[in-house]
C-alpha cells in the first residue's frame, strides 16, 4: 500500500522539567519592549514534512531525527494548530518561499538516510506560545520586533480557545 | 533533481540612450553605475556596433562595483586641508601598499611576507612546512537586514577566503568584531525600517556562533563596540586564519582546464549583493533588498572543506577561488582574467526553476567554490566529491582568448546561444577612475569643566559598567574557542577564567610549540577628533596586545578594514585620507606590513529626514608568529607581594576617551603615537618576558590605567595598592583623573615577580617606567592620588560585578 503525498506538521517542545532557555530569554526581551503583561513564553520547533509517509516512517523521522527523547517531546499538529490554551497566544514563523532553509535541507537528507524514500521536502519554522493578558496589537509588536524578520519570514498569530 | 531555467535574455538599449535614460537604467536596475561609467560602457559597445545584454550589463556592474574594484581607494583625490591642496593619485598604492613595499625592501632577507594584496587573503611565513593565511571581511549591509543570516554568511564567506587562497588553506581560527548601537536604545526612537540594536546584537552573535561552531573552527578573538551612530548600519567584521603547505601557495588556470563549481546549488539568493553594498540604505531597503539576503549552511561548507583538503593534496586542481560577491561572474571573471573563459550556464545546478541567465551568473548563493581542473583529473575529483556527498559540476572551460564568454542552451535544446561576450581587458581595466575632493576641517570639541567630574572611585565603577568596557563573557561563552585543541591563551583568562585577555594564542600544529597570536585594535571614538590619530592608535593597540601575550612586533603583520560613510562627501573622504596616511606612517615606523584588507563604504542610513553616518571605523587586525607558546603571558595578577609597574608615558590625552564620553564630552587631545618610544618599549618588554621577568601584562586602552589595573586585579583575585605619583607622565599632567583615565598609547601595566625587580628595571632601561605598587593579599583595589591621599579603595567584588552586570543576559 502506498501512502498518499501530503503535509504533516510536527511540533517539538522541551519536556516540562527541562528549562526552556529560548523562551525565558524571549520573555526578558518582551519585558524590555515595555510589554509587562507577558507571563511566560514557550518555544516550539516546527517541521512541515511533505511526502508520502507511512505511520511508521513518520515516527522514525520524528522520534529518531527531530526529537531528543531525553529533553524533548513531539506532537503532530494541524495548520495553525499549536497547543494554545484559552488566554494564550500562538505564533508561527516560517520562511518566505525561496529563502534557503538549511535545517530543512539537512532534515530531508537525514530522513532519506533513515530509509524514508517517500519524503519530498522539509520546511522548518518556529512556534511561540505566549501566556499572559495580551491584546492583538501587543502580539503584533512582539512578532515584528522580536520573533519574525519580515524580510525573510512571514508570521501568523492566533488566540487560544477561539 | 534538475531544474529548468527561464531563458529570457534582454538587451539594454544603451547605444541610443541619453544621459538621463542611462542614469535611470542604472538606478532602476540596481546597477549602482554612475553616469561616467555608463558612458564608458556605451562607448565600448558602440565600437562593437551592438547593445549589451543583461548578462553583460550585470557582470560589468558587479565587477566595477566599489565592493570589487575599490574605486575610491584607487581613484584620484584632491585633499584640501587649510589653504593647501594635495592631489593623491591612488590612495591605496600610496599608503597601505606602499607601507608594505617599503617595509619589505628594508627587511630584505628578513621579509616574511609570501603573498600580499593579490589573492583572496594575505600569506606570511609560519614554519618550514606551513605558511599562515589571514583575511578579515565585513558583512555590514546584509547584517543590518537579517542579523542572523547576514553574520552567518559573513563568517561563512570569510572562511572561504583562506580556502580560496593559494590552492586552499585549512582554517585554524576565527575572529569577530562588531559595532552596534547601545542595547538600551529607546524603542520609541527607532527609525522606520531599523531593527533594534539588541536584536541585531543577539542575531549577529547567534549567526557567527552557529557557523563557526558547526564548521569546527574555534572563535578565539574579537571585540564589540557601541555607538548610537551604528543604529542603521551595524558593523560585522569576520576574520579567518588558516595554514597552508608551503608548496601550495601558487595557482594559475591554464587554457583547456575545466571550470568546475562544487558545493551548494545556485538560487536567487544574494542577487545584487556587491552593488547593494555600494548604495546607502534607506527605510525602503528592507523590502527592495529581499534578494540581497543570504542564508548560510555550515554543514555544506564543512563538506566542501573536507573535499578540498584531499583534492589539494592529491593535486586535482590548478586554481581555486570562492564565489563571493558577484557569484560566478566575479569568481570566473577573476580566475580567467589572464586566459579567458567560456561558461555554459545550462550546466549549473539550480535550487529551483525559473532563474534567468543573468541571475544564474550573478547569484550569490552560498557555499560554492570554483576550481580550474585539468581534464585528466575530473573523474578523480568527481569520485572524491561523491564520496563526501558534495555536488561537483563542469560548467565550462578556460580558453586562451582573454574573453569572458557566457553561453546557454534555451529550452533544454541543442542550439547554443551566446548571452555575454566580454573582453577581459575592458571588464577588469575599463572602469573610469573617479576624481573626488576631500576637505579636512579640524573639529573643536570643548573639554569637560573640572568641577563636573565625579570622584575617581565612582568614575571607575561607572566606566567598568559602560557598554564598551563591560565584560563580553555572554558572547564569548557561546563561541567554541577550544575545538581543534590548539587554543593556548583563550579569550577569557584568570583564576576563574573570566578576565578579558588581550590577545589569543593558538598552536595550529599540535606537534610543534610554534604558535600564532591574534589581536585587534579599533577605537572609532578618537576619529571624532582626528582620524589620523584614530588609525595610529588602532595600530598601536593591536601591537600592544601582541606584546602583552609574548609576541614580537618584528614578527607581526597587519590587516586593515575600513568601514566608512559615503566617500562622495568631502568630509568623510578627508577622514579616509587622514586614516590611510596614518596607516603608512605608523606601520612603516613599526616595521609591520599590511598583508590584506578590505573596505566598506556608504555605511549611512537615511529615513527621509536625517542621515546618520557611522563614525569612521578602522579595524586593525594583527597576526604574529610566536616561537614558543610556553612563554605566553596572561593578564591576571598571579601572587601577592609581586610588584606592579606602569610602562610607557602618560600624557594629558583624554580626548575621545571613555571617561570623557561618560561625562558627555569628546574633548580636544586624542592620544598620539610616538613610535620610537613605543617600539622601544615593546621590544624591551618582549625581552623581559623571554627571561621570565613578567608574571602578567595588560595593555592600557579604553578606560586607561585604572580600568587595566582593575581588570588585572579581579581576574587574578588579588588586590593592588598603587601610588599614582610613581606613574611616568608628562610634566603638565597634574590631575588624578588624567593619570587614571587618560588613554595614551604604548602603555602597559606589568606584574613582576617579587625579587626580580632589579633585573626587570635593567631590561627596561631606556623606556619610561615606574614601580607603582604591589599585588596585595586583600581583595581590594587601593590607589593613592598625586596629593598623597587614598582616592580609590574599592572591593574587587564591587568592581567585578559592575563590569559583569551589563551584559549578563
Amino acid at each position: 500500500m502506498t501512502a498518499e503525498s501530503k503535509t504533516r506538521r510536527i511540533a517539538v517542545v522541551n519536556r516540562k522539567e527541562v528549562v526552556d532557555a529560548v523562551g525565558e530569554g524571549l520573555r526578558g526581551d518582551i519585558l524590555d519592549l515595555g510589554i509587562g503583561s507577558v507571563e511566560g513564553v514557550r518555544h516550539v520547533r516546527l517541521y512541515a514534512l511533505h511526502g508520502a509517509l507511512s505511520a511508521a516512517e513518520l515516527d522514525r523521522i520524528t522520534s529518531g531525527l527531530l526529537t531528543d527523547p531525553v529533553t524533548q517531546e513531539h506532537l503532530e499538529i494541524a495548520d495553525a494548530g499549536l497547543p494554545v490554551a484559552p488566554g494564550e497566544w500562538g505564533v508561527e514563523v516560517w520562511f518566505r518561499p525561496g529563502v534557503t532553509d538549511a535545517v530543512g535541507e539537512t532534515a530531508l537528507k537525514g530522513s532519506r538516510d533513515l530509509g524514508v524514500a517517500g519524503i519530498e521536502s522539509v520546511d522548518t519554522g518556529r512556534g511561540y506560545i505566549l501566556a499572559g493578558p495580551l491584546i492583538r496589537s501587543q502580539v503584533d509588536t512582539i512578532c515584528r520586533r522580536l520573533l519574525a524578520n519580515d524580510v525573510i519570514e512571514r508570521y501568523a498569530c492566533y488566540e487560544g480557545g477561539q | 533533481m534538475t531544474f529548468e531555467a527561464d531563458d529570457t535574455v534582454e538587451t539594454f538599449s544603451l547605444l541610443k540612450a541619453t544621459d538621463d535614460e542611462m542614469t535611470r537604467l542604472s538606478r532602476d536596475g540596481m546597477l549602482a553605475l554612475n553616469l561616467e561609467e555608463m558612458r564608458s560602457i556605451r562607448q565600448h559597445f558602440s565600437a562593437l556596433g551592438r547593445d549589451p545584454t543583461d548578462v553583460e550589463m550585470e557582470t560589468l556592474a558587479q565587477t566595477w562595483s566599489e565592493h570589487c574594484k575599490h574605486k575610491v581607494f584607487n581613484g584620484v583625490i584632491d585633499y584640501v586641508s587649510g589653504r593647501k591642496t594635495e592631489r593623491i593619485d591612488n590612495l591605496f598604492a600610496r599608503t597601505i601598499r606602499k607601507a608594505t613595499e617599503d617595509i619589505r625592501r628594508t627587511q630584505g632577507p628578513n621579509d616574511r611576507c609570501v603573498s600580499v594584496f593579490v589573492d583572496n587573503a594575505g600569506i606570511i611565513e609560519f614554519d618550514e612546512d606551513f605558511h599562515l593565511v589571514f583575511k578579515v571581511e565585513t558583512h555590514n549591509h546584509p547584517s543590518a537586514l537579517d542579523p542572523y543570516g547576514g553574520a552567518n554568511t559573513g563568517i561563512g564567506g570569510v572562511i572561504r577566503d583562506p580556502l580560496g587562497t593559494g590552492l586552499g588553506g585549512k582554517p585554524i581560527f576565527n575572529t569577530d568584531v562588531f559595532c552596534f548601537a547601545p542595547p538600551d536604545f529607546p524603542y520609541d526612537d527607532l527609525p522606520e525600517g531599523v531593527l533594534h540594536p539588541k536584536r541585531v546584537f543577539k542575531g549577529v552573535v547567534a549567526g557567527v556562533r552557529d557557523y563557526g561552531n558547526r564548521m569546527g573552527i574555534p572563535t578565539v578573538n574579537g571585540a564589540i563596540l557601541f555607538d548610537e551612530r551604528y543604529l542603521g548600519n551595524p558593523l560585522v567584521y569576520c576574520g579567518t586564519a588558516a595554514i597552508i603547505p608551503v608548496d601550495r601557495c601558487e595557482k594559475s588556470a591554464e587554457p583547456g582546464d575545466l571550470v568546475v563549481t562544487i558545493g551548494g546549488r545556485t538560487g536567487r539568493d544574494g542577487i545584487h549583493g556587491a552593488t547593494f553594498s555600494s548604495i546607502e540604505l534607506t527605510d525602503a531597503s528592507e523590502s527592495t533588498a529581499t534578494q540581497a539576503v543570504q542564508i548560510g549552511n555550515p554543514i555544506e561548507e564543512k563538506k566542501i572543506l573536507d573535499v578540498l583538503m584531499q583534492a589539494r593534496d592529491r593535486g586535482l586542481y590548478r586554481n581555486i577561488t570562492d564565489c563571493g560577491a558577484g557569484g560566478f561572474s566575479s569568481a570566473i571573471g577573476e580566475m580567467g582574467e589572464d586566459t579567458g573563459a567560456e561558461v555554459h550556464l545550462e550546466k549549473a545546478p539550480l535550487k529551483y526553476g525559473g532563474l534567468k541567465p543573468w541571475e544564474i551568473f550573478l547569484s550569490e548563493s552560498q557555499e560554492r567554490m570554483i576550481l580550474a581542473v585539468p581534464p585528466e583529473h575530473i573523474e578523480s575529483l568527481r569520485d572524491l566529491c561523491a564520496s563526501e556527498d558534495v555536488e561537483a559540476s563542469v560548467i565550462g572551460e578556460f580558453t586562451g582568448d582573454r574573453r569572458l564568454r557566457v553561453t546557454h542552451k534555451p529550452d533544454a535544446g541543442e542550439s547554443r546561444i551566446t548571452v555575454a561576450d566580454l573582453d577581459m581587458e575592458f571588464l577588469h581595466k575599463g572602469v573610469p577612475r573617479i576624481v573626488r575632493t576631500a576637505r579636512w576641517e579640524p573639529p573643536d570639541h570643548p573639554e569637560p569643566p573640572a568641577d563636573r567630574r565625579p570622584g575617581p572611585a565612582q568614575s571607575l565603577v561607572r566606566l567598568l559598567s559602560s557598554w564598551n568596557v563591560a565584560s563580553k563573557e555572554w558572547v564569548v561563552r557561546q563561541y567554541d574557542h577550544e575545538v581543534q585543541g590548539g587554543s593556548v591563551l583563550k579569550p577569557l583568562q584568570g583564576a576563574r577564567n573570566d578576565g578579558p585577555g588581550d590577545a589569543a594564542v593558538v598552536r595550529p600544529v599540535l606537534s610543534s610549540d610554534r604558535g600564532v597570536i591574534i589581536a585587534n585594535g579599533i577605537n572609532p571614538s578618537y576619529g571624532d577628533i582626528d582620524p589620523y590619530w584614530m588609525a595610529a592608535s588602532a595600530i598601536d593597540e593591536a601591537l600592544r596586545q601582541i606584546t602583552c601575550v609574548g609576541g614580537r612586533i618584528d614578527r607581526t603583520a597587519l590587516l586593515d578594514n575600513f568601514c566608512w560613510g559615503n566617500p562622495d562627501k568631502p568630509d568623510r573622504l578627508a577622514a579616509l585620507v587622514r586614516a590611510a596616511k596614518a596607516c603608512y606612517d605608523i606601520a612603516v615606523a613599526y616595521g609591520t606590513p599590511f598583508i590584506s584588507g578590505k573596505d566598506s563604504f556608504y555605511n549611512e542610513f537615511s529615513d527621509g529626514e536625517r542621515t546618520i553616518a557611522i563614525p569612521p571605523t578602522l579595524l586593525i587586525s594583527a597576526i604574529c608568529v610566536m616561537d614558543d607558546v610556553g612563554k605566553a603571558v596572561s593578564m591576571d595578577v598571579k601572587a601577592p607581594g609581586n610588584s606592579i609597574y606602569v610602562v610607557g608615558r602618560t600624557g594629558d590625552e583624554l580626548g575621545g576617551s571613555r571617561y570623557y564620553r561618560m561625562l558627555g564630552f569628546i574633548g580636544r587631545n586624542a592620544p598620539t603615537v610616538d613610535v620610537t618610544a613605543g617600539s622601544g618599549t615593546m621590544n624591551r618588554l618582549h625581552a623581559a618576558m623571554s627571561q621570565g621577568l613578567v608574571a602578567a601584562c595588560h595593555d592600557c586602552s579604553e578606560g586607561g590605567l585604572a580600568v587595566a589595573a582593575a581588570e588585572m586585579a579581579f581576574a587574578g583575585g588579588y588586590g593592588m595598592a598603587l601610588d599614582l605619583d610613581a606613574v611616568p607622565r608628562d610634566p603638565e599632567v597634574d590631575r588624578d583623573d588624567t593619570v587614571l583615565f587618560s588613554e595614551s598609547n604604548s602603555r602597559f601595566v606589568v606584574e613582576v615577580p617579587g625579587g626580580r625587580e632589579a633585573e626587570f628595571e635593567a631590561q627596561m632601561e631606556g623606556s619610561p617606567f615606574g614601580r607603582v605598587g604591589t599585588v596585595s593579599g586583600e581583595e581590594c583595589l587601593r590607589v593613592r592620588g598625586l596629593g598623597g591621599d587614598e582616592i580609590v579603595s574599592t572591593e574587587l567584588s564591587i568592581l567585578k560585578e559592575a563590569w559583569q552586570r551589563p551584559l549578563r543576559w
Side-chain angles (χ1 to χ4, degrees):
Chain A
M1 191 184 77
T2 330
E4 186 192 348
S5 182
K6 59 179 183 181
T7 297
R8 316 288 286 265
R9 292 165 189 274
I10 306 297
V12 177
V13 293
N14 280 11
R15 289 180 181 278
K16 287 209 170 45
E17 63 274 21
V18 177
V19 175
D20 183 351
V22 177
E24 277 303 299
L26 274 170
R27 197 174 69 91
D29 290 342
I30 293 171
L31 294 175
D32 282 352
L33 281 179
I35 300 176
S37 52
V38 65
E39 288 163 4
V41 181
R42 270 173 293 151
H43 173 236
V44 184
R45 289 173 177 79
L46 296 173
Y47 301 88
L49 312 174
H50 311 287
L53 308 174
S54 68
E57 286 174 325
L58 183 66
D59 183 62
R60 207 184 309 159
I61 296 173
T62 53
S63 304
L65 186 67
L66 306 182
T67 312
D68 173 354
V70 179
T71 60
Q72 296 173 322
E73 54 197 12
H74 61 83
L75 62 159
E76 187 171 353
I77 60 171
D79 194 6
L82 285 172
V84 187
E88 293 182 333
W89 284 84
V91 177
E92 292 186 25
V93 183
W94 297 88
F95 286 119
R96 289 184 180 281
V99 176
T100 302
D101 182 352
V103 179
E105 285 173 23
T106 307
L108 175 66
K109 173 153 193 337
S111 303
R112 291 193 173 136
D113 286 350
L114 287 173
V116 181
I119 186 135
E120 288 157 17
S121 66
V122 180
D123 296 327
T124 64
R126 303 185 307 275
Y128 305 92
I129 298 170
L130 311 176
L134 298 163
I135 56 172
R136 177 169 286 275
S137 62
Q138 289 176 315
V139 176
D140 266 325
T141 302
I142 292 168
C143 288
R144 279 186 291 106
R145 292 218 158 136
L146 292 175
L147 303 181
N149 183 352
D150 190 52
V151 178
I152 53 166
E153 294 160 337
R154 56 196 165 73
Y155 69 87
C157 49
Y158 41 87
E159 219 172 337
Q162 297 289 299
Chain B
M1 210 178 324
T2 56
F3 294 99
E4 299 294 332
D6 173 337
D7 301 320
T8 317
V9 175
E10 285 174 22
T11 303
F12 277 72
S13 302
L14 203 59
L15 297 198
K16 291 182 193 132
T18 63
D19 285 355
D20 283 351
E21 284 166 345
M22 287 200 291
T23 305
R24 197 168 59 239
L25 273 176
S26 173
R27 190 186 56 229
D28 293 351
M30 271 188 83
L31 298 176
L33 291 165
N34 64 34
L35 184 58
E36 202 188 339
E37 291 160 352
M38 291 294 280
R39 283 178 183 153
S40 294
I41 296 172
R42 182 176 61 186
Q43 192 183 1
H44 180 78
F45 281 92
S46 287
L48 298 175
R50 66 175 177 89
D51 276 317
T53 65
D54 53 7
V55 183
E56 289 169 329
M57 279 306 285
E58 295 281 354
T59 301
L60 284 164
Q62 293 286 338
T63 309
W64 289 10
S65 67
E66 178 57 46
H67 187 94
C68 297
K69 279 287 178 231
H70 312 289
K71 291 180 281 196
V72 174
F73 256 118
N74 293 322
V76 178
I77 299 172
D78 288 322
Y79 172 64
V80 184
S81 172
R83 264 179 265 162
K84 272 191 355 201
T85 299
E86 176 190 359
R87 171 153 279 214
I88 302 168
D89 187 343
N90 197 326
L91 181 63
F92 181 74
R94 284 169 184 277
T95 56
I96 309 288
R97 193 163 70 212
K98 185 167 193 300
T100 302
E101 289 164 358
D102 289 358
I103 292 166
R104 295 185 73 179
R105 201 178 313 115
T106 308
Q107 290 181 336
N110 293 322
D111 171 30
R112 294 168 194 278
C113 296
V114 176
S115 165
V116 291
F117 302 125
V118 289
D119 212 331
N120 286 314
I123 310 180
I124 59 170
E125 291 175 0
F126 178 66
D127 65 10
E128 285 174 6
D129 301 321
F130 294 101
H131 290 325
L132 195 55
V133 187
F134 192 27
K135 176 63 174 271
V136 177
E137 273 275 12
T138 52
H139 224 218
N140 307 329
H141 289 67
S143 302
L145 293 172
D146 172 21
Y148 181 86
N152 208 229
T153 49
I155 192 75
V158 82
I159 291 169
R160 290 195 300 280
D161 275 324
L163 204 52
T165 298
L167 290 174
K170 174 184 165 291
I172 54 171
F173 62 76
N174 294 331
T175 170
D176 300 285
V177 174
F178 311 135
C179 301
F180 303 126
D184 55 358
F185 189 87
Y187 275 92
D188 293 339
D189 297 348
L190 215 52
E192 193 65 27
V194 168
L195 299 175
H196 190 269
K198 189 171 182 183
R199 183 170 182 195
V200 174
F201 186 172
K202 287 189 166 187
V204 163
V205 168
V208 165
R209 172 196 69 201
D210 285 356
Y211 214 104
N213 292 3
R214 286 170 194 172
M215 281 288 289
I217 301 168
T219 300
V220 298
N221 174 264
I224 306 176
L225 293 94
F226 298 94
D227 186 300
E228 287 203 357
R229 288 168 286 176
Y230 296 117
L231 186 64
N233 296 88
L235 303 185
V236 174
Y237 298 90
C238 298
T240 299
I243 52 171
I244 186 170
V246 293
D247 60 352
R248 289 289 186 272
C249 296
E250 299 288 324
K251 60 181 179 188
S252 70
E254 308 259 325
D257 285 354
L258 303 172
V259 179
V260 176
T261 171
I262 73 164
R265 291 184 158 213
T266 299
R268 209 168 260 133
D269 25 0
I271 300 261
H272 279 150
T275 50
F276 172 62
S277 74
S278 305
I279 299 174
E280 279 180 38
L281 293 181
T282 66
D283 53 10
S285 303
E286 249 194 316
S287 47
T288 53
T290 302
Q291 292 181 332
V293 174
Q294 308 135 2
I295 309 282
N297 185 346
I299 306 299
E300 183 69 44
E301 189 147 307
K302 174 68 171 132
K303 292 190 294 186
I304 295 171
L305 169 64
D306 292 347
V307 159
L308 285 178
M309 292 298 99
Q310 298 174 63
R312 177 196 72 188
D313 293 342
R314 287 168 58 186
L316 298 183
Y317 56 86
R318 256 199 281 263
N319 200 341
I320 181 169
T321 197
D322 72 307
C323 278
F328 289 154
S329 74
S330 286
I332 301 170
E334 281 172 24
M335 211 162 165
E337 184 176 349
D338 297 327
T339 55
E342 176 162 334
V343 180
H344 305 150
L345 284 182
E346 80 283 357
K347 294 177 182 161
L350 305 180
K351 288 183 182 180
Y352 35 78
L355 269 72
K356 293 176 182 161
W358 76 265
E359 292 179 311
I360 300 173
F361 201 49
L362 272 294
S363 160
E364 294 178 11
S365 288
Q366 296 291 299
E367 289 91 24
R368 297 179 302 163
M369 303 287 292
I370 298 290
L371 307 179
V373 179
E376 64 268 27
H377 292 323
I378 187 65
E379 279 316 308
S380 306
L381 182 74
R382 278 189 206 278
D383 291 346
L384 178 63
C385 287
S387 74
E388 298 278 356
D389 189 33
V390 170
E391 192 162 5
S393 307
V394 176
I395 59 165
E397 65 177 38
F398 292 95
T399 60
D401 61 2
R402 300 213 60 213
R403 299 193 72 78
L404 179 61
R405 199 174 303 105
V406 184
T407 63
H408 185 55
K409 280 185 178 176
D411 305 322
E414 281 310 299
S415 64
R416 179 173 295 284
I417 58 163
T418 298
V419 297
D421 188 358
L422 288 166
D423 176 22
M424 285 288 188
E425 184 75 16
F426 179 68
L427 178 62
H428 289 288
K429 309 253 165 74
V431 58
R433 293 183 66 195
I434 62 162
V435 180
R436 292 278 183 278
T437 300
R439 188 167 287 109
W440 169 244
E441 282 168 16
D444 186 24
H445 302 291
E447 295 271 311
D451 58 353
R452 280 221 258 127
R453 306 184 187 187
Q458 194 192 341
S459 296
L460 174 58
V461 170
R462 275 177 63 189
L463 274 174
L464 287 167
S465 276
S466 63
W467 291 115
N468 281 279
V469 175
S471 171
K472 310 299 186 294
E473 183 169 357
W474 177 81
V475 177
V476 176
R477 288 285 173 222
Q478 298 186 55
Y479 299 151
D480 187 339
H481 51 252
E482 303 282 3
V483 65
Q484 296 191 11
S487 305
V488 177
L489 208 53
K490 301 157 195 184
L492 297 169
Q493 302 167 7
R496 292 175 182 275
N497 289 311
D498 55 9
D502 289 294
V505 179
V506 172
R507 188 168 58 150
V509 181
L510 295 178
S511 54
S512 158
D513 284 331
R514 189 162 286 207
V516 181
I517 308 173
I518 166 72
N520 66 75
I522 180 169
N523 200 329
S525 182
Y526 307 145
D528 287 333
I529 299 172
D530 190 342
Y532 183 92
W533 292 118
M534 171 192 79
S537 298
I539 295 174
D540 194 84
E541 182 185 10
L543 296 179
R544 289 197 303 271
Q545 294 174 353
I546 293 280
T547 305
C548 276
V549 300
R552 292 167 50 158
I553 52 175
D554 63 351
R555 301 284 294 277
T556 302
L558 305 177
L559 264 64
D560 58 282
N561 283 80
F562 291 83
C563 286
W564 241 248
N566 181 349
D568 301 339
K569 299 177 183 169
D571 59 328
R572 273 67 148 176
L573 190 56
L576 185 74
V577 170
R578 291 189 71 77
K581 281 173 178 272
C583 284
Y584 175 80
D585 295 345
I586 306 298
V588 168
Y590 272 124
T592 48
F594 292 98
I595 57 167
S596 180
K598 195 84 190 186
D599 51 68
S600 163
F601 296 135
Y602 303 97
N603 289 291
E604 303 200 4
F605 180 85
S606 173
D607 65 357
E609 289 173 19
R610 53 187 172 154
T611 297
I612 312 170
I614 63 161
T617 308
L618 171 64
L619 170 67
I620 296 290
S621 309
I623 191 161
C624 173
V625 176
M626 183 179 195
D627 285 333
D628 181 2
V629 296
K631 295 233 160 70
V633 174
S634 64
M635 52 71 66
D636 49 306
V637 291
K638 304 296 188 301
N642 284 353
S643 291
I644 298 292
Y645 283 81
V646 170
V647 178
R649 169 207 60 92
T650 300
D652 180 4
E653 296 181 310
L654 281 163
S657 68
R658 275 301 126 211
Y659 178 62
Y660 271 13
R661 295 273 173 187
M662 182 185 86
L663 301 174
F665 287 81
I666 296 171
R668 292 196 182 91
N669 304 335
T672 58
V673 176
D674 176 348
V675 178
T676 311
S679 61
T681 297
M682 293 183 201
N683 287 329
R684 290 177 191 116
L685 203 45
H686 177 77
M689 284 184 183
S690 306
Q691 295 164 43
L693 299 174
V694 174
C697 185
H698 197 26
D699 91 300
C700 296
S701 54
E702 285 184 297
L705 166 62
V707 164
E711 288 175 343
M712 289 175 83
F714 62 63
Y718 296 111
M720 283 185 193
L722 308 177
D723 182 353
L724 292 190
D725 200 32
V727 174
R729 61 192 188 278
D730 286 345
E732 71 272 17
V733 173
D734 56 1
R735 290 180 54 96
D736 289 333
D737 60 352
T738 311
V739 183
L740 286 169
F741 305 121
S742 171
E743 296 179 9
S744 292
N745 283 302
S746 313
R747 294 184 307 151
F748 302 85
V749 183
V750 182
E751 180 191 16
V752 175
R756 306 201 68 180
E757 288 86 351
E759 287 171 82
F760 178 76
E761 290 182 14
Q763 188 62 59
M764 293 310 294
E765 192 59 47
S767 285
F769 66 85
R771 183 173 173 272
V772 297
T774 53
V775 180
S776 67
E778 55 169 4
E779 294 187 13
C780 180
L781 179 67
R782 294 184 189 278
V783 179
R784 190 183 301 278
L786 297 176
D789 301 332
E790 189 170 79
I791 54 170
V792 178
S793 164
T794 310
E795 298 286 324
L796 295 188
S797 59
I798 291 171
L799 297 172
K800 191 169 182 177
E801 174 63 17
W803 179 72
Q804 289 184 325
R805 186 176 36 78
L807 279 173
R808 193 187 280 139
W809 286 352

